[in-house]
């Protein structure tokens, strides 16, 4: 690419950067429409409701929280553990992926740069406003270059733009001085070759057209900000600042201090010399405000914003009381459909990242179909109900269904390996002893906040339910231990065994048979 074309690309990028800056304001809760409007007479409250911030946090936390996306390989089982995982750990993959998903929700796309450091693959997110992609005309289109630029200061304190272009072979550095031309930087190695065999950038998107989750509802958000600011906050302040009207009794003459009676009233808010008929002399200045209409309009636009972003309002779920499982599923259906789309497009980015890592680790000449294939799984960050999980297993326990069928009804986070858990239950061994406990259980370390690890009332009640199920032979000890560890990560396996193992050997007392009146109780030795 020649320098004139490069200059034209950068000069024409201002509109996109301005839109990104506006989107950032909404993410920060500083909604520009209400905060940036022209000032008018007091009161002039400007309430910016951070609904976009909540929406992005909700979607990214539900789908892509740190560690929520997992990877596996089937044919080459060791590839992920021995090759990919060390690279991911060195790059803090979980948090990096979460941040890039947030960026895609906020701006429609995010860009990740791949490079080598001390011979090891590295990747990092690059601010989206710094990146201009260049695509070819093929179908599907292919990234043939990426231009990255940002503002710096030279030794004299003057601003200029540092520009880099990345193609499939080289990284080239330029300088763009304000009001000048784009020039190739000399005096240092330039360009610099890289070993990726393609542009070392990957784009993360969550939709087909590269849109974010909230641009289409900004007008709704802005109108609701006006309702809350003008019809709620301003009217409340006007009412608080209203004065009593003293009919025909306020003098406009100035006293020695230069104030008339109206000025004094504003300061002291008291009246003197009201005479006898006070009720007729004083009245409040009252404005009829349609409170119900304003409240309904506020709730309507809030609900409309959530609905059009395909989100649910968690306040609705919290205030509806008991709701059946199928009703809840239908209520969350639009959100799940949206998440399925987000997952499909973001998975492309994750596979793109893996391909770049494979390019850098010696697979550049290997055909894509012959490279190790990595499966990606999004684990939804759902609230976990320990008691409901126990009750579900008890209802479909092996007494009524085969053990493997019953275990498959439990979430993967609870039973990651059905076959292994089924074998442990059938053999009655495995995790049934403290000596066989696996490493990695969380322990209370001296100096940590012990109170933060204490069980609350609901957790204690759930543990009692689990122990009762073990004592009644409705739940195997091994499964009970795994349920407790999955629901309470701060508990060690030893603690879980210490609490539940006595219940396994415990036989509850059978209730005494009470004979009906007029009929003797049966003799256990003689029979009926």
């Amino acid at each position: 690419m020649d320098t004139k074309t490069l200059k034209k690309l950068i000069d024409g990028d201002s509109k996109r950067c301005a839109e990104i800056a506006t989107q950032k304001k909404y993410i920060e809760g500083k909604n520009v429409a209400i905060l940036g409007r022209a000032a008018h007479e007091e009161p002039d409250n400007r309430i910016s409701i951070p609904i976009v911030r909540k929406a992005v946090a909700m979607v990214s936390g539900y789908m892509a929280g740190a560690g929520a996306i997992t990877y596996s390989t089937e044919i080459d089982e060791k590839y992920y553990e021995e090759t990919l995982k060390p690279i991911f750990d060195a790059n803090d993959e979980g948090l990096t992926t979460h941040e890039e998903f947030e960026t895609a929700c906020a701006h429609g796309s995010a860009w990740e740069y791949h490079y080598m450091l001390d011979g090891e693959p590295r990747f990092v997110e690059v601010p989206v406003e710094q990146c201009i992609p260049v695509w070819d005309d093929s179908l599907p289109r292919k990234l043939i270059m990426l231009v990255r630029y940002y503002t710096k200061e030279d030794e004299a304190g003057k601003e200029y733009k540092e520009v880099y272009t990345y193609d499939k072979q080289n990284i080239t550095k330029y300088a763009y001085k304000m009001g000048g031309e784009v020039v190739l930087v000399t005096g240092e190695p330039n360009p610099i070759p890289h070993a990726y065999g393609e542009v070392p950038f990957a784009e993360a998107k969550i939709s087909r057209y590269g849109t974010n989750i909230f641009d289409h509802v900004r007008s709704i958000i802005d109108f609701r900000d006006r309702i809350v600011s003008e019809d709620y906050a301003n009217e409340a302040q006007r009412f608080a600042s209203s004065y009593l009207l003293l009919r025909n009794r306020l003098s406009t003459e100035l006293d020695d201090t230069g104030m008339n009676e109206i000025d004094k009233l504003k300061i002291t808010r008291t009246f003197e010399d009201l005479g006898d008929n006070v009720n007729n002399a004083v009245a409040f200045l009252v404005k009829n405000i349609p409170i119900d209409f304003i409240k309904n309009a506020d709730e309507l636009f809030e609900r409309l914003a959530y609905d059009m972003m395909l989100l649910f309002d968690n306040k609705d779920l919290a205030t509806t009381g008991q709701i059946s499982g199928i009703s809840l599923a239908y209520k969350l259906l639009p959100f799940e459909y949206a998440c399925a789309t987000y997952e499909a497009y973001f998975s492309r980015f994750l596979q793109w990242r893996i391909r770049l890592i494979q390019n850098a680790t010696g697979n550049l000449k290997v055909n894509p179909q012959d490279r190790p294939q990595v499966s990606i799984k999004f684990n939804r960050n759902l609230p976990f109900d320990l008691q409901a999980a126990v009750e579900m297993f008890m209802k479909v326990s092996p007494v009524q269904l085969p053990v493997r069928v019953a275990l498959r009804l439990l979430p993967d986070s609870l039973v990651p390996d059905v076959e292994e858990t089924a074998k442990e239950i059938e053999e009655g061994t495995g995790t049934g002893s403290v000596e066989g406990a696996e490493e990695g259980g969380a322990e209370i370390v001296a100096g940590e906040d012990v109170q933060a690890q204490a069980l609350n009332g609901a957790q204690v009640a759930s543990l009692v339910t689990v122990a009762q199920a073990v004592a009644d032979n409705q739940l195997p000890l091994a499964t009970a231990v795994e349920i407790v560890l999955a629901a309470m990560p701060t508990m060690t396996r030893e603690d879980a065994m210490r609490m539940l193992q006595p219940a396994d050997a415990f036989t509850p007392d059978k209730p005494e048979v009470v004979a009906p009146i007029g009929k003797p109780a049966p003799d256990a030795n003689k029979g009926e």
Side-chain angles (χ1 to χ4, degrees):
M1 179 178 292
D2 59 74
T3 56
K4 289 184 178 180
T5 304
L6 193 56
K7 181 179 184 297
K8 185 178 179 180
L9 273 178
I10 297 172
D11 290 344
D13 197 41
S14 57
K15 183 177 180 180
R16 183 185 69 95
C17 291
E19 178 63 17
I20 291 173
T22 299
Q23 292 167 342
K24 282 186 176 181
K25 291 293 184 182
Y26 279 86
I27 296 297
E28 295 169 356
K30 302 174 182 177
N31 301 355
V32 297
I34 190 69
L35 297 179
R37 69 179 185 177
H40 57 77
E41 72 279 357
E42 294 292 337
D44 185 19
N45 291 291
R46 306 181 186 204
I47 310 299
S48 175
I49 302 173
I51 189 172
V52 172
R53 185 187 183 104
K54 177 182 177 181
V56 171
M58 184 185 298
V59 175
S60 59
Y62 177 67
M63 290 197 61
I69 301 174
T70 56
Y71 307 83
S72 62
T73 48
E74 295 181 1
I75 299 177
D76 188 351
E77 297 180 357
K78 296 181 179 180
Y79 176 72
Y80 173 72
E81 291 294 332
E82 296 181 358
T83 303
L84 271 186
K85 191 174 185 301
I87 296 173
F88 282 179
D89 291 343
N91 289 276
D92 199 3
E93 179 272 333
L95 184 58
T96 301
T97 300
H98 174 72
E99 292 172 345
E100 289 168 336
F101 189 89
E102 276 191 334
T103 301
C105 289
H107 304 297
S109 67
W111 286 97
E112 181 177 89
Y113 171 50
H114 286 248
Y115 62 102
M116 301 295 290
L117 180 64
D118 298 329
E120 297 294 330
R122 293 288 185 268
F123 53 84
V124 65
E125 181 183 3
V126 177
V128 66
E129 64 270 19
Q130 297 181 3
C131 301
I132 305 176
V134 180
W135 307 88
D136 67 6
D137 296 326
S138 63
L139 294 176
R141 65 179 187 173
K142 184 178 179 181
L143 184 67
I144 57 175
M145 179 175 287
L146 188 131
V147 179
R148 182 191 175 199
Y149 71 97
Y150 50 91
T151 302
K152 295 183 68 174
E153 287 187 357
D154 59 18
E155 297 178 354
K158 294 183 179 180
E159 289 187 346
Y160 73 100
K161 288 184 173 67
E162 192 163 275
V163 184
Y164 292 88
T165 61
Y166 303 80
D167 58 27
K168 66 179 183 179
Q169 293 179 332
N170 298 312
I171 303 171
T172 309
K173 183 178 180 181
Y174 299 86
Y176 180 11
K177 294 185 177 181
M178 301 304 179
E181 299 295 325
V182 176
V183 296
L184 184 70
V185 172
T186 58
E188 59 183 77
N190 193 25
I192 300 175
H194 63 77
Y196 284 90
E198 59 180 293
V199 179
F201 275 81
E203 183 188 25
K205 298 197 306 182
I206 59 168
S207 67
R208 178 180 181 182
Y209 300 107
T211 54
N212 64 13
I213 67 173
F214 67 89
D215 270 348
H216 59 292
V217 298
R218 266 165 46 183
S219 60
I220 299 174
I221 294 170
D222 295 339
F223 190 79
R224 183 172 178 239
D225 284 345
R226 289 186 59 185
I227 292 175
V228 174
S229 299
E230 297 177 359
D231 296 324
Y232 275 127
N234 285 354
E235 291 300 334
Q237 186 173 340
R238 287 189 184 101
F239 180 79
S241 302
S242 63
Y243 300 107
L244 290 171
L245 173 62
L246 186 60
R247 295 175 182 158
N248 303 321
R249 298 294 299 272
L250 296 179
S251 172
T252 58
E253 295 182 2
L254 302 180
D255 61 9
D256 297 338
T257 62
M259 294 189 297
N260 58 28
E261 291 187 18
I262 296 177
D263 297 328
K264 294 177 182 178
L265 176 59
K266 292 180 180 180
I267 297 174
T268 63
R269 292 182 180 268
T270 59
F271 297 91
E272 298 178 0
D273 192 24
L274 293 179
D276 296 331
N277 197 358
V278 175
N279 290 334
N280 292 332
V282 180
F284 277 104
L285 295 175
V286 177
K287 177 181 179 181
N288 291 325
I289 302 175
I291 296 298
D292 291 339
F293 174 79
I294 296 172
K295 181 180 178 181
N296 291 338
D298 176 35
E299 293 176 351
L300 170 65
F301 280 92
E302 180 184 23
R303 186 180 300 276
L304 193 59
Y306 279 113
D307 287 347
M308 294 303 100
M309 286 190 286
L310 300 179
L311 294 176
F312 64 91
D313 186 355
N314 55 312
K315 296 197 304 297
D316 290 346
L317 302 181
T319 57
T320 51
Q322 295 295 326
I323 183 170
S324 66
I326 189 63
S327 298
L328 182 61
Y330 274 111
K331 192 174 185 65
L332 299 178
L333 192 60
F335 179 58
E336 284 296 340
Y337 283 163
C339 289
T341 300
Y342 303 156
E343 178 179 331
Y345 283 95
F346 198 76
S347 294
R348 282 186 177 180
F349 156 69
L350 297 176
Q351 292 290 2
W352 192 345
R353 167 197 283 171
I354 292 171
R355 186 181 77 230
L356 288 172
I357 292 174
Q358 290 177 337
N359 289 353
T361 54
N363 291 286
L364 186 60
K365 297 181 180 180
V366 179
N367 293 326
Q369 62 269 22
D370 296 329
R371 296 184 180 186
Q373 301 301 305
V374 181
S375 299
I376 301 171
K377 182 177 181 181
F378 286 71
N379 300 291
R380 304 288 199 266
N381 186 13
L382 291 166
F384 184 83
D385 188 339
L386 173 61
Q387 187 168 349
V390 174
E391 291 174 354
M392 178 190 295
F393 188 87
M394 289 165 60
K395 289 178 181 178
V396 296
S397 61
V399 175
Q400 302 174 39
L401 286 176
V403 62
R404 285 169 176 79
V405 176
L407 288 172
R408 285 191 175 91
L409 296 177
L410 295 175
D412 293 343
S413 58
L414 194 62
V415 185
D417 191 330
V418 171
E419 288 299 323
E420 187 66 26
T421 305
K423 289 179 182 178
E424 292 176 359
I425 294 174
E426 292 168 351
E427 295 172 1
T429 57
T431 58
S433 63
V434 175
E435 290 75 17
E438 299 175 358
E439 297 180 358
E443 298 180 358
I444 298 177
V445 181
E448 289 187 352
D449 185 5
V450 178
Q451 181 64 31
Q453 302 188 44
L455 301 181
N456 58 40
Q459 289 173 318
V460 172
S462 298
L463 281 174
V464 171
T465 302
V466 175
Q468 185 65 51
V470 173
D472 293 341
N473 292 323
Q474 294 178 315
L475 195 64
L477 175 62
T479 302
V481 170
E482 297 302 326
I483 289 175
V484 171
L485 293 178
M488 303 176 186
T490 58
M491 182 173 292
T492 65
R493 189 177 295 275
E494 289 83 355
D495 288 338
M497 286 294 300
R498 188 162 51 250
M499 285 188 291
L500 297 177
Q501 199 164 28
D504 191 37
F506 176 69
T507 303
D509 292 334
K510 296 183 178 179
E512 182 180 353
V513 178
V514 179
I517 297 176
K519 183 179 180 181
D523 191 328
N525 296 322
K526 296 180 180 181
E528 290 284 349

